[in-house]
Amino acid sequence: MFHTMSIKNKVTLAFICFILIPFSVLGFYTYHQSDRYVQAQLLANAQTTVKQIKYTIENKIDLIESVSNNITYNYRLQQFLDDPYAPERDSLNTYFSFAAPLVNYAMLFQKINIQKISIYMKNNSIPEGFGSFYAEQKIQKESWYAPFTASEAKSLWVLDANQADGSVLYRYIQKMISIEGHDLGMTIVDVRAGDLLEPAERSNLANLPVLILDEGHKIVSRSNAEALKAQGDPPLSLFSEGYAKQGGFLYVTDAIKEVQHAIVLAIPIPPLLGSLQVATNLVFIFTFIVLLFAFYYILKMTLSKMKTSIKQMDTAIESGFHPIPIVRKDEFGVITEKFNILLSKISVLLSDMVKRETLHKDTQLIALQSQINPHFIYNTLDIFSARMELAGQYEVSDAMADFGKMMRYHMNGQAKFATLAEELRFLEQYLSLQKIKYGDSIHFKINVPGELLAVQVLKFILQPIVENSVKHGFARQDTLQIEVTVALEREQMLLIRVKDNGSGIQAARLEEMNEQFRTSVYLPKGDRDRESIGLGNINERLKLFYGEQFPLQLTGAEGAFTETILTLPYATRTIEEDLHVQGAHY
């Protein structure tokens, strides 16, 4: 059965059995195991790093709370704040020798960089002083004050980002209540965010990006911003699962409960290259080599049969296109059959070649004879022009000469493109003929920069437009002004405008025609409102040669003017031309 299979089936079966299936299974298993191992290691290392950062920050929080407790629960300070202040009762000495130094010593002997310690007193008899004691009225306007005093909580952490110097402070606020239950005020310990969150902001051992998020999941602090600048916000599933993947990063989080913040560590997920075990690599390579040799052996057998068929084809060609015997039923047998058909067709073509050579010579003779007719017409027009000039009919003589030049330009169909100067010269010759009929009723003006005259444009795109202006322009007036303006616009676009002061065009009809030019869907023949055949022809040629984005465009106003606009891509290839038409007037 294997010998009767097609070559395609043999190669496909060999590839599937020996390469695709084994390597797919082995590669998938290896990748899956390696991915699980790498992800587990990354997660474990990240969780350890996060816990270390959390432990360091929480130690600082504990120290801050301890400093606050030492002041808030100091019995002697509570007595001082609870008793009425009177100099004769030695209150000033207690204030000076004990209360103020208590706060100063706490600032001096702290293990962290506390920004400030403040005591806000309800006892209004005690004067403010020493940069630490203030009346509680000064903090009553703070947003946290009313909810905190109304609650049963005894302490509160607040993030204050509205400092005058632009810094961000963490404030640990604690109610000061005496043993007798009297509300004495509050103790506030201020620490800069950079000092409290310094373990997260400094570079860790792996230089991994670390984020500190508040309870609303907004970023409070960010380290190694360069590594995270292309990343968005962490995924929401991170806060329910404890870890998540997004954008090539593994995010791991842990909560700092005291300040209601979360630490987020972002670890770039490395590629698996180099993470496979050596034994797996060796087995993989050995298996690949064995399967490759097996596949090569089958392919070699197939190619040897192909070489045999090629030799048979060479023999058939050298022996005079004799057919090859068909002995196989696979693809080689089909190729042999098609080759025999090709040999038969070649024999027929060879027999027809002599007949075609004879016909070709006859065709050349006819073509040479047909070239005589245009030259005969040109020469005859020249004779008429000269005869009229001798008779004093100079205007008709010039018109006849212009007509002859127009025929030469028109019958030169070998070139699809012409220079802008040639197109404008052809336009001048056409209007010269029109002046025989209309005389001075037609006024023609050309405005074109000299450097644009040598630019190549599609042939026969201006004369039909001007002819359309002449045809419709005299509907309501005795004179017609036609102006052709050429300019190079931005983005290397050549803008050609043909404007007349004729009867104009209705707004609805103008929109309809522009839509036809854009979509190339025209009205059927015989329709009264069908657009000019010449304009439709120009539009289709423009879109064919330059692209669908370059349709013809009309503007105008009824009873005022009509303007036809051609937008062409500016071609840098130019031809030196006579520049006499750049500012012509007629």
Side-chain angles (χ1 to χ4, degrees):
M1 180 178 178
F2 186 80
H3 295 286
T4 59
M5 292 177 61
S6 65
I7 296 176
K8 179 181 179 181
N9 292 337
K10 292 176 183 177
V11 174
T12 303
L13 181 62
F15 178 78
I16 293 175
C17 295
F18 298 144
I19 295 180
L20 185 60
I21 295 178
F23 275 85
S24 298
V25 174
L26 181 60
F28 179 80
Y29 176 80
T30 303
Y31 177 85
H32 181 69
Q33 294 298 323
S34 300
D35 183 66
R36 290 183 58 185
Y37 176 79
V38 171
Q39 298 293 341
Q41 290 295 320
L42 283 175
L43 183 59
N45 294 338
Q47 289 174 338
T48 301
T49 303
V50 169
K51 289 185 181 298
Q52 290 175 349
I53 296 174
K54 173 186 175 181
Y55 176 78
T56 307
I57 294 176
E58 289 182 344
N59 279 344
K60 290 192 173 190
I61 292 174
D62 291 339
L63 289 174
I64 293 171
E65 293 180 354
S66 177
V67 171
S68 178
N69 290 336
N70 290 338
I71 298 174
T72 303
Y73 296 109
N74 186 284
Y75 179 73
R76 187 176 176 183
L77 179 62
Q78 289 183 355
Q79 282 186 325
F80 171 73
L81 297 176
D82 195 23
D83 295 335
Y85 184 87
E88 60 272 17
R89 298 178 60 242
D90 204 26
S91 297
L92 179 61
N93 184 49
T94 302
Y95 197 2
F96 184 83
S97 61
F98 173 75
L102 179 65
V103 177
N104 294 334
Y105 291 155
M107 289 287 296
L108 291 174
F109 296 100
Q110 59 173 311
K111 294 183 179 180
I112 60 174
N113 188 20
I114 293 177
Q115 181 71 14
K116 187 178 181 181
I117 299 176
S118 304
I119 298 174
Y120 290 87
M121 309 170 292
K122 282 189 175 295
N123 190 347
N124 293 327
S125 65
I126 302 175
E128 296 181 342
F130 301 99
S132 300
F133 294 84
Y134 305 93
E136 193 175 19
Q137 288 84 351
K138 290 190 174 182
I139 59 172
Q140 289 180 352
K141 293 183 179 180
E142 297 289 341
S143 59
W144 52 265
Y145 179 84
F148 178 55
T149 55
S151 68
E152 296 181 359
K154 294 184 179 181
S155 62
L156 175 69
W157 278 96
V158 174
L159 178 63
D160 189 359
N162 298 319
Q163 297 299 307
D165 58 356
S167 62
V168 179
L169 291 179
Y170 281 92
R171 314 190 82 179
Y172 179 65
I173 308 166
Q174 203 169 11
K175 294 177 181 178
M176 183 179 290
I177 301 174
S178 67
I179 298 176
E180 293 78 14
H182 299 160
D183 185 4
L184 305 178
M186 296 183 184
T187 304
I188 299 180
V189 180
D190 294 338
V191 60
R192 292 186 183 274
D195 295 326
L196 181 62
L197 304 179
E198 183 267 340
E201 293 183 341
R202 70 188 178 196
S203 298
N204 48 62
L205 294 178
N207 197 28
L208 299 175
V210 179
L211 301 175
I212 301 295
L213 307 182
D214 62 14
E215 55 186 348
H217 299 163
K218 294 183 179 179
I219 297 176
V220 176
S221 175
R222 181 198 301 262
S223 72
N224 200 357
E226 286 296 323
L228 281 171
K229 65 181 180 180
Q231 300 299 317
D233 295 330
L236 295 178
S237 60
L238 168 68
F239 305 100
S240 59
E241 301 292 335
Y243 66 93
K245 299 178 187 177
Q246 178 177 281
F249 278 78
L250 173 65
Y251 292 90
V252 180
T253 186
D254 203 345
I256 308 174
K257 297 182 180 179
E258 287 78 2
V259 294
Q260 301 299 316
H261 285 3
I263 303 173
V264 178
L265 179 67
I267 305 176
I269 300 177
L272 292 179
L273 296 177
S275 64
L276 301 180
Q277 298 179 356
V278 177
T280 304
N281 289 333
L282 293 177
V283 172
F284 186 89
I285 295 173
F286 178 77
T287 305
F288 176 79
I289 293 175
V290 172
L291 295 178
L292 184 61
F293 272 105
F295 182 79
Y296 174 76
Y297 178 75
I298 295 176
L299 185 60
K300 184 178 180 180
M301 293 175 56
T302 303
L303 293 176
S304 63
K305 295 177 181 179
M306 187 179 297
K307 291 181 180 180
T308 301
S309 297
I310 293 174
K311 290 181 180 179
Q312 292 177 344
M313 293 178 184
D314 290 339
T315 303
I317 294 173
E318 294 173 357
S319 62
F321 304 107
H322 294 295
I324 302 174
I326 300 175
V327 295
R328 302 177 62 89
K329 295 183 179 180
D330 55 11
E331 282 84 357
F332 286 112
V334 175
I335 292 174
T336 301
E337 181 181 358
K338 300 300 181 182
F339 184 76
N340 288 338
I341 295 175
L342 179 62
L343 293 178
S344 177
K345 289 186 176 181
I346 290 175
S347 299
V348 174
L349 291 174
L350 288 175
S351 63
D352 293 341
M353 188 175 295
V354 177
K355 298 179 181 179
R356 292 185 178 181
E357 285 293 334
T358 303
L359 293 175
H360 180 63
K361 290 181 179 179
D362 294 337
T363 303
Q364 285 182 327
L365 180 60
I366 294 173
L368 291 174
Q369 291 175 344
S370 65
Q371 293 178 0
I372 298 175
N373 294 332
H375 290 286
F376 172 74
I377 296 174
Y378 305 152
N379 295 334
T380 302
L381 289 174
D382 289 339
I383 292 172
F384 289 159
S385 176
R387 185 71 183 89
M388 291 176 183
E389 185 176 357
L390 291 175
Q393 298 180 356
Y394 299 107
E395 184 178 358
V396 179
S397 175
D398 292 339
M400 190 69 70
D402 288 337
F403 180 65
K405 294 175 182 178
M406 290 178 64
M407 290 192 63
R408 289 179 183 272
Y409 182 74
H410 186 74
M411 292 183 178
N412 182 18
Q414 301 298 323
K416 297 178 181 178
F417 293 88
T419 64
L420 186 58
E422 291 174 336
E423 274 291 288
L424 294 173
R425 191 178 300 116
F426 181 72
L427 201 56
E428 295 172 9
Q429 294 162 356
Y430 168 76
L431 287 169
S432 178
L433 294 178
Q434 292 296 328
K435 278 183 173 290
I436 296 178
K437 177 179 179 180
Y438 295 103
D440 293 333
S441 297
I442 294 182
H443 301 278
F444 182 55
K445 183 179 179 182
I446 298 176
N447 295 315
V448 54
E451 62 271 14
L452 297 180
L453 288 173
V455 175
Q456 287 191 337
V457 297
L458 197 62
K459 210 171 182 181
F460 304 120
I461 59 174
L462 296 181
Q463 185 270 335
I465 298 175
V466 174
E467 182 179 355
N468 192 67
S469 295
V470 174
K471 179 180 179 182
H472 300 284
F474 284 106
R476 299 180 181 177
Q477 59 189 30
D478 298 328
T479 61
L480 181 66
Q481 174 72 39
I482 301 175
E483 183 176 0
V484 178
T485 305
V486 183
L488 185 62
E489 299 291 328
R490 291 177 297 178
E491 300 181 356
Q492 295 297 298
M493 290 297 174
L494 192 68
L495 201 65
I496 304 176
R497 299 175 180 268
V498 181
K499 183 176 182 181
D500 66 71
N501 63 343
S503 57
I505 186 170
Q506 296 178 352
R509 177 60 178 155
L510 182 68
E511 183 178 355
E512 180 183 6
M513 292 184 67
N514 282 325
E515 179 66 16
Q516 293 175 17
F517 292 143
R518 187 182 65 82
T519 61
S520 295
V521 179
Y522 303 104
L523 296 175
K525 293 182 178 180
D527 194 301
R528 180 173 60 87
D529 294 329
R530 189 171 189 266
E531 76 292 331
S532 168
I533 297 177
L535 295 182
N537 179 277
I538 293 174
N539 181 66
E540 293 307 306
R541 288 196 293 133
L542 288 175
K543 294 168 71 173
L544 176 64
F545 284 98
Y546 295 117
E548 292 291 329
Q549 67 273 29
F550 296 101
L552 206 63
Q553 184 180 0
L554 292 180
T555 62
E558 186 176 7
F561 73 95
T562 302
E563 185 176 35
T564 307
I565 302 174
L566 296 84
T567 305
L568 311 178
Y570 177 65
T572 55
R573 182 165 60 93
T574 59
I575 298 176
E576 294 297 329
E577 285 292 337
D578 183 9
L579 307 183
H580 81 282
V581 296
Q582 58 182 316
H585 296 265
Y586 295 90

